[in-house]
Amino acid sequence: QYCYRVRAVKGIGASGYAGPTCATTVLGVVLQDGVNGYTGTRDTYIWETSPEQVRGAETVFVQDINASDERRSLLLFDLSAVPPGSVIQSAELQFFVDVEGLGFNMHRMLTSWDEATITYTSNGGHFNADGTDAESAVNANWPGANNYVGFITVTVPASTIQDWIDGNLPNN
């Protein structure tokens, strides 16, 4: 926030000061690998069918649950690009759905993970939104659209990002 005072000056005299007037700087921060030098996206998925395979280097991001074929996605952003003391007003994620588009729920992770090492097995052979792996409450979601393919935007509660940058919750 910055404040200023205004005083008009003319050849024959000057007015008193008006103000102060305060304004808040609104800043947009884009966290996308390759944009403005950002490289802080961490994403992977774990798959029940290949429980030992590390998928952190893959370029696809899969979320799918079928009987005996669970694939769960993990997504994290390095938030150090957000200036200290910032007040988060809104946050959105954009994804490209290239198959089906049946929807998904997003839960805040409670356990830390590393895209270079996590597998379905190393995560305990499961992934649950049960208050242990991830919060049970849905934090954000996309309800899906049968046979939809294309870009989607998911709104993430500003309070989630605020808690992460303020250090009130771990950014897992």
Side-chain angles (χ1 to χ4, degrees):
Q1 184 177 40
Y2 59 92
C3 299
Y4 59 92
R5 293 177 10 150
V6 177
R7 178 178 178 189
V9 177
K10 191 171 179 168
I12 57 171
S15 70
Y17 283 97
T21 300
C22 296
T24 300
T25 303
V26 176
L27 190 45
V29 177
V30 175
L31 303 177
Q32 179 180 345
D33 279 1
V35 174
N36 297 321
Y38 182 78
T39 59
T41 304
R42 303 294 175 259
D43 58 358
T44 189
Y45 68 98
I46 57 178
W47 192 359
E48 182 178 23
T49 302
S50 56
E52 301 295 328
Q53 188 166 349
V54 174
R55 300 182 177 280
E58 293 185 17
T59 58
V60 296
F61 188 64
V62 179
Q63 176 68 32
D64 191 21
I65 300 174
N66 298 309
S68 300
D69 186 22
E70 179 181 44
R71 288 178 275 188
R72 299 288 190 143
S73 298
L74 300 165
L75 178 63
L76 181 142
F77 293 95
D78 173 357
L79 299 175
S80 62
V82 179
S86 294
V87 175
I88 304 303
Q89 295 178 348
S90 64
E92 295 179 332
L93 292 170
Q94 190 172 62
F95 297 101
F96 184 82
V97 176
D98 68 353
V99 177
E100 296 181 35
L102 295 178
F104 55 84
N105 291 328
M106 298 178 78
H107 301 265
R108 288 193 293 210
M109 287 296 294
L110 298 173
T111 58
S112 60
W113 55 276
D114 182 340
E115 74 176 345
T117 60
I118 193 167
T119 66
Y120 197 84
T121 300
S122 72
N123 196 57
H126 58 79
F127 180 95
N128 297 311
D130 60 359
T132 301
D133 294 339
E135 288 184 349
S136 56
V138 174
N139 193 250
N141 80 319
W142 180 61
N146 198 22
N147 298 317
Y148 177 79
V149 173
F151 283 101
I152 62 166
T153 300
V154 176
T155 300
V156 176
S159 60
T160 294
I161 310 304
Q162 192 71 59
D163 282 342
W164 287 337
I165 65 168
D166 290 347
N168 297 328
L169 289 173
N171 179 11
N172 291 326

